[in-house]
Amino acid sequence: PEEDLLKNLEEVWIHLGRQPRYQEVQKPLSKYHVGTYENRFGSWRKALEKFVSSINNEENTPVDAATSDGETTNLEIKSSSKHKTKRNVNWRLRFIVMRRDNFKCRICGKSPAKNPEIELHMDHIKAYAEGGETIIDNLQTLCSVCNIGKSDLDMHDNAGR
């Protein structure tokens, strides 16, 4: 499915810390060969354009319902949770935060572009367990070592904001 191809492209992009080159889109780095992208989208360039378009597309997801007279009304969704957002970071938000952080750890500056062994994580600046939400202003990119070391410490004052 197109969604799987775009998700794979995002994973490759994040791993490299930059736009993948034509010759790099192959196993083991990519689940799919570049030819698959050419067949689906018409060309490698069109696949990249579709990917960038899907990442940059603002998703407006109001919850609307049609009434019996055909008018649309907004539904209010109530949650019994103390959080307004889910803990997990979706792929789109993850990419946006990593792009904002230049695909580098905000604490030590390490990047998979310079060292392929570096794994980047999403971190809640104010811990989710302490009421922090999964929103762009409360997320940062950390390498696995810094993220594990930080654990659930509140870094809000040290985040450079």
Side-chain angles (χ1 to χ4, degrees), residues 6 9 13 19-23 25 33-54:
L6 295 177
L9 189 52
W13 196 308
Q19 176 182 318
R21 295 186 184 101
Y22 182 91
Q23 50 286 26
V25 183
H33 189 272
V34 72
T36 305
Y37 289 94
E38 290 176 317
N39 290 338
R40 177 63 58 88
F41 299 101
S43 71
W44 172 238
R45 180 172 179 81
K46 287 181 182 176
L48 289 173
E49 288 171 354
K50 175 67 174 179
F51 170 72
V52 170
S53 173
S54 71

Coordinates of all heavy atoms in Angstrom, one line a residue, residues 6 9 13 19-23 25 33-54:
L6 N 5.3 5.1 1.8 CA 5.7 6.4 2.4 C 6.3 6.3 3.8 O 7.2 7.0 4.1 CB 4.5 7.4 2.3 CG 3.9 7.7 1.0 CD1 2.6 8.6 1.1 CD2 4.9 8.4 0.1
L9 N 9.8 5.2 3.3 CA 10.6 6.3 2.9 C 11.0 7.2 4.0 O 12.1 7.7 4.1 CB 9.9 7.0 1.7 CG 10.7 8.1 1.0 CD1 12.0 7.6 0.5 CD2 9.9 8.6 -0.2
W13 N 14.7 8.1 5.4 CA 15.0 9.5 5.5 C 15.5 9.9 6.9 O 16.6 10.5 7.1 CB 13.8 10.4 5.1 CG 14.1 11.8 4.8 CD1 14.8 12.7 5.5 CD2 13.6 12.5 3.6 NE1 14.8 14.0 4.9 CE2 14.1 13.9 3.8 CE3 12.9 12.2 2.6 CZ2 13.8 14.8 2.8 CZ3 12.6 13.1 1.6 CH2 13.0 14.4 1.7
Q19 N 17.6 13.5 2.7 CA 16.8 12.8 1.7 C 17.6 11.7 1.1 O 18.8 11.8 0.8 CB 16.5 13.9 0.6 CG 15.8 13.3 -0.6 CD 15.6 14.3 -1.7 OE1 15.2 15.4 -1.5 NE2 15.9 13.9 -3.0
P20 N 17.0 10.5 1.0 CA 17.7 9.4 0.4 C 18.0 9.6 -1.1 O 17.2 10.2 -1.8 CB 16.7 8.2 0.6 CG 15.5 8.7 1.1 CD 15.6 10.2 1.4
R21 N 19.1 9.1 -1.5 CA 19.5 9.1 -2.9 C 18.9 7.9 -3.6 O 18.7 6.8 -3.0 CB 21.0 9.2 -3.1 CG 21.6 10.4 -2.5 CD 23.1 10.5 -2.8 NE 23.6 11.7 -2.2 CZ 24.3 11.7 -1.1 NH1 24.6 10.6 -0.5 NH2 24.8 12.8 -0.6
Y22 N 18.7 8.0 -4.9 CA 18.2 6.9 -5.8 C 18.8 5.6 -5.5 O 18.2 4.6 -5.2 CB 18.3 7.3 -7.2 CG 17.7 6.3 -8.2 CD1 16.4 6.5 -8.6 CD2 18.5 5.3 -8.7 CE1 15.8 5.6 -9.5 CE2 17.9 4.4 -9.6 CZ 16.6 4.6 -10.0 OH 16.1 3.7 -10.9
Q23 N 20.2 5.6 -5.5 CA 20.9 4.3 -5.4 C 20.9 3.8 -4.0 O 21.2 2.6 -3.8 CB 22.3 4.4 -6.0 CG 23.2 5.5 -5.6 CD 22.9 6.9 -6.2 OE1 21.8 7.2 -6.6 NE2 23.9 7.7 -6.3
V25 N 18.1 3.4 -2.1 CA 16.8 2.9 -1.7 C 16.8 1.4 -2.2 O 16.4 1.0 -3.2 CB 15.7 3.6 -2.4 CG1 14.4 3.1 -2.0 CG2 15.8 5.1 -2.0
H33 N 12.6 -1.7 -3.0 CA 13.6 -1.2 -4.0 C 13.0 0.0 -4.6 O 11.8 0.2 -4.7 CB 13.8 -2.3 -5.0 CG 14.9 -2.0 -5.9 ND1 14.7 -1.3 -7.1 CD2 16.2 -2.3 -5.9 CE1 15.9 -1.2 -7.7 NE2 16.8 -1.8 -7.0
V34 N 13.9 0.9 -5.1 CA 13.5 2.1 -5.7 C 12.6 1.9 -6.9 O 11.7 2.7 -7.2 CB 14.8 2.9 -6.1 CG1 15.5 2.3 -7.3 CG2 14.4 4.4 -6.4
G35 N 12.7 0.7 -7.6 CA 11.8 0.4 -8.7 C 10.4 0.3 -8.3 O 9.5 0.6 -9.0
T36 N 10.1 -0.1 -7.0 CA 8.8 -0.2 -6.5 C 8.2 1.2 -6.5 O 7.0 1.4 -6.8 CB 8.8 -0.8 -5.1 OG1 9.4 -2.1 -5.2 CG2 7.3 -1.0 -4.6
Y37 N 9.0 2.2 -6.0 CA 8.5 3.6 -6.0 C 8.3 4.1 -7.4 O 7.3 4.8 -7.6 CB 9.6 4.4 -5.2 CG 9.6 4.2 -3.8 CD1 10.5 3.3 -3.2 CD2 8.7 4.8 -2.9 CE1 10.5 3.0 -1.9 CE2 8.7 4.6 -1.5 CZ 9.6 3.6 -1.0 OH 9.6 3.4 0.3
E38 N 9.2 3.8 -8.3 CA 9.0 4.2 -9.7 C 7.7 3.7 -10.3 O 7.0 4.4 -11.0 CB 10.2 3.8 -10.6 CG 11.5 4.5 -10.2 CD 12.7 4.0 -11.0 OE1 12.8 2.8 -11.1 OE2 13.5 4.9 -11.4
N39 N 7.5 2.4 -10.1 CA 6.2 1.7 -10.6 C 5.0 2.4 -10.0 O 4.0 2.6 -10.7 CB 6.3 0.2 -10.3 CG 7.3 -0.5 -11.2 OD1 7.7 0.0 -12.2 ND2 7.7 -1.6 -10.7
R40 N 5.0 2.6 -8.7 CA 3.8 3.1 -8.0 C 3.5 4.6 -8.3 O 2.4 5.0 -8.6 CB 4.0 3.0 -6.5 CG 2.8 3.5 -5.7 CD 1.4 2.8 -5.9 NE 1.5 1.4 -5.7 CZ 1.3 0.9 -4.5 NH1 1.0 1.6 -3.5 NH2 1.3 -0.4 -4.4
F41 N 4.6 5.4 -8.4 CA 4.4 6.9 -8.5 C 4.8 7.4 -9.9 O 4.6 8.6 -10.1 CB 5.2 7.6 -7.4 CG 4.8 7.2 -6.0 CD1 5.5 6.3 -5.2 CD2 3.6 7.8 -5.5 CE1 5.1 6.0 -4.0 CE2 3.2 7.4 -4.2 CZ 3.9 6.5 -3.4
G42 N 5.4 6.6 -10.7 CA 5.8 7.1 -12.1 C 7.2 7.4 -12.2 O 7.8 7.3 -13.3
S43 N 7.9 7.8 -11.1 CA 9.3 8.1 -11.1 C 9.7 8.3 -9.6 O 8.9 8.5 -8.7 CB 9.6 9.4 -11.9 OG 9.2 10.5 -11.2
W44 N 11.1 8.2 -9.4 CA 11.6 8.4 -8.1 C 11.3 9.8 -7.6 O 10.9 10.1 -6.5 CB 13.1 8.1 -8.1 CG 13.8 8.5 -6.8 CD1 14.9 9.3 -6.7 CD2 13.6 8.0 -5.5 NE1 15.3 9.4 -5.4 CE2 14.5 8.6 -4.6 CE3 12.6 7.1 -5.0 CZ2 14.5 8.3 -3.3 CZ3 12.7 6.8 -3.6 CH2 13.6 7.4 -2.8
R45 N 11.5 10.8 -8.5 CA 11.2 12.2 -8.1 C 9.7 12.4 -7.7 O 9.4 13.1 -6.7 CB 11.5 13.1 -9.3 CG 11.3 14.6 -9.0 CD 11.8 15.5 -10.1 NE 11.6 16.9 -9.8 CZ 12.3 17.6 -9.0 NH1 13.3 17.1 -8.4 NH2 12.0 18.9 -8.8
K46 N 8.8 11.8 -8.5 CA 7.4 11.9 -8.1 C 7.1 11.2 -6.8 O 6.3 11.7 -6.0 CB 6.5 11.3 -9.2 CG 6.5 12.2 -10.4 CD 5.6 11.6 -11.5 CE 5.6 12.4 -12.8 NZ 4.8 11.8 -13.8
A47 N 7.8 10.1 -6.5 CA 7.6 9.5 -5.2 C 8.1 10.4 -4.0 O 7.4 10.6 -3.0 CB 8.4 8.2 -5.1
L48 N 9.2 11.1 -4.2 CA 9.7 12.1 -3.2 C 8.7 13.2 -3.1 O 8.5 13.7 -2.0 CB 11.1 12.6 -3.6 CG 12.3 11.6 -3.5 CD1 13.5 12.2 -4.1 CD2 12.5 11.2 -2.1
E49 N 8.2 13.7 -4.2 CA 7.3 14.8 -4.1 C 6.0 14.4 -3.4 O 5.5 15.2 -2.6 CB 6.9 15.3 -5.6 CG 8.0 16.0 -6.2 CD 7.8 16.3 -7.7 OE1 6.8 15.8 -8.3 OE2 8.6 17.0 -8.3
K50 N 5.5 13.2 -3.6 CA 4.3 12.7 -2.9 C 4.6 12.6 -1.4 O 3.8 12.9 -0.6 CB 3.9 11.3 -3.5 CG 2.8 10.7 -2.8 CD 1.5 11.4 -2.9 CE 0.3 10.6 -2.3 NZ -0.9 11.3 -2.4
F51 N 5.8 12.1 -1.1 CA 6.2 11.9 0.3 C 6.2 13.3 1.0 O 5.6 13.5 2.1 CB 7.6 11.3 0.4 CG 8.1 11.3 1.8 CD1 7.6 10.5 2.8 CD2 9.2 12.1 2.1 CE1 8.1 10.6 4.1 CE2 9.7 12.2 3.4 CZ 9.2 11.4 4.4
V52 N 6.9 14.3 0.4 CA 7.0 15.6 1.0 C 5.6 16.2 1.1 O 5.3 16.8 2.1 CB 8.0 16.5 0.2 CG1 7.9 17.9 0.6 CG2 9.4 16.0 0.3
S53 N 4.8 16.1 0.1 CA 3.5 16.6 0.1 C 2.7 16.0 1.3 O 2.0 16.7 2.0 CB 2.8 16.3 -1.2 OG 1.4 16.7 -1.2
S54 N 2.8 14.7 1.5 CA 2.0 14.0 2.5 C 2.5 14.4 3.9 O 1.7 14.6 4.8 CB 2.1 12.5 2.4 OG 3.4 12.0 2.7

